[in-house]
Structures are given as structure tokens and as C-alpha cells.
Amino acid sequence: MSQKQLGIEAGFDPSSASPRMNQYEKGKHHPDATTVAKLCEVLGVPVAYLYCDDDDLARVIANFSKVGEKDRKRILAIVDTVKQS
Amino acid sequence: MSQKQLGIEAGFDPSSASPRMNQYEKGKHHPDATTVAKLCEVLGVPVAYLYCDDDDLARVIANFSKVGEKDRKRILAIVDTVKQS
DNA sequence: TGACTAAGAGCTTCTTAGCTT
DNA sequence: AAGCTAAGAAGCTCTTAGTCA
């Protein structure tokens, strides 16, 4: 998928979708939270995944919604063993 | 902790920390990603947690770094059973 | 066709100077 | 002290117009 096409599918004005996406990808400008959410939806990635710098946690975020109900409950049972402060 | 104090600890100019934080909390203005990261660091919350609208996944994100090494590996083993596309 | 960039119009936030509880 | 707001200064992005491979 081209930069331009991704922007168009995220709802950008088609006439400026190409430079806009390029400015984001090259780090010249930064998309706001709403724009990030739209791009993630098009790409099928959870927004939280982008804001995660722990590789292990990133794997969990990316796949949590794809595991079965039983496995989700097993994971929740594990994290719920943590003592709340 | 006061709004002002939180902003100061995140590195804002003390003379404008109070209105800035208030504008964020009341939704008048929106902090950029760098600012969000600093505020999360002060609050001890993973940034990914804020960008998560799935309550179950939010619990996992909030506590993943607090479970023991053995349990982290158990969780990773579960999510790694998902077939990659 | 697709990736990329400069420059300015337009829009947003940050700061100042307050008021209110 | 803490929460909150208006309004302008300061800063950023979005659009236009274009180049390069």
C-alpha cells in the first residue's frame, strides 16, 4: 500500500494525503492522537502497540485480542496475582 | 499531587505548569506524544495503558512489567501460539 | 506512479494575567 | 493554596506546488 493510499483510507483529503503521510513517515511532522487512531485502524494494529517500548509487552499487545477466550482468561489470572498498591 | 506539581515534575516551566495541566485535564488543549510520555513517567503508568480501550488488555499492560520472570514467559508462550499472518 | 520536500496559510498550543473556590 | 479561564504570542501542521527516481 502506498503512503498516499494509506492516508486516503484514513480519511485524509486525497489532494494532500501523499505529502502528509510522507511528513509523518520521515518525522518532519507528527500526527495527533485522532490521526494515529485512524491510521492504526486501517493498518489493523492496536494503538497501544505503537506506544510500547518493551518488545515483550508489544508482543502481548499485538496478539492478546487474537488468542482464544480460555487463554485470555489464563493471562488475566496471571497478571491479577500482582499485589495492588 | 496538584496539577501544577505534576507539570513541574514533568519538566514544564513552573510559571505556566498550572494552566497547562488544567487545559489538558479539561480537554481544552491536547499534549503531544513527548509530553504524554513525561507525564506517564511521573505517574508511573506505561504510555500504552492510556491508548488502550480494551479493559482486559489494559489490565495486562498495567501489570505485565510487575509479574515475575516465570509468569512473563508463561504469558509470552500463550500469545506466541497465535498464528502469524 | 510513488517518494519526497520547501514554504506559507491556517490552526493549535503555551504563556500571561487574571478570577474563583 | 488549588482549580480554572480568556486572549494573544509562539509554534506547529496541512496544503500547495513542485522535483526526483
Side-chain angles (χ1 to χ4, degrees):
Chain A
M1 169 145 52
S2 71
Q3 294 176 342
K4 181 178 181 177
Q5 187 61 25
L6 172 55
I8 288 171
E9 290 188 27
F12 299 1
D13 185 323
S15 68
S16 60
S18 169
R20 251 184 103 178
M21 282 306 309
N22 195 263
Q23 285 156 348
Y24 296 155
E25 298 209 1
K26 302 296 280 190
K28 175 90 186 236
H29 298 323
H30 305 280
D32 63 22
T34 306
T35 303
V36 169
K38 287 178 187 167
L39 292 171
C40 281
E41 198 176 347
V42 174
L43 295 171
V45 174
V47 180
Y49 181 81
L50 295 189
Y51 294 97
C52 180
D53 42 26
D54 173 342
D55 289 345
D56 286 342
L57 179 53
R59 260 157 74 200
V60 176
I61 292 171
N63 294 315
F64 182 75
S65 69
K66 298 174 187 167
V67 304
E69 174 69 11
K70 235 176 176 174
D71 281 334
R72 267 209 300 284
K73 285 190 174 165
R74 283 175 62 205
I75 293 171
L76 289 168
I78 294 171
V79 298
D80 283 343
T81 61
V82 172
K83 291 154 195 67
Q84 302 304 315
S85 51
Chain B
M1 168 145 53
S2 71
Q3 294 175 343
K4 182 180 181 178
Q5 187 62 24
L6 172 55
I8 289 171
E9 290 188 28
F12 298 1
D13 186 321
S15 69
S16 59
S18 169
R20 252 184 101 177
M21 283 305 310
N22 194 262
Q23 285 156 348
Y24 297 155
E25 298 209 359
K26 302 296 280 189
K28 176 88 186 238
H29 298 321
H30 305 281
D32 63 23
T34 306
T35 304
V36 170
K38 287 177 186 168
L39 292 171
C40 281
E41 199 176 346
V42 174
L43 295 170
V45 175
V47 180
Y49 180 82
L50 296 188
Y51 294 97
C52 182
D53 41 25
D54 173 342
D55 288 345
D56 287 341
L57 180 53
R59 260 157 74 201
V60 176
I61 292 171
N63 294 315
F64 183 74
S65 68
K66 298 173 187 167
V67 304
E69 174 69 11
K70 233 175 176 175
D71 281 334
R72 267 209 300 284
K73 285 191 174 164
R74 282 176 61 207
I75 292 171
L76 289 168
I78 295 171
V79 298
D80 284 342
T81 61
V82 171
K83 291 155 195 67
Q84 303 304 315
S85 50

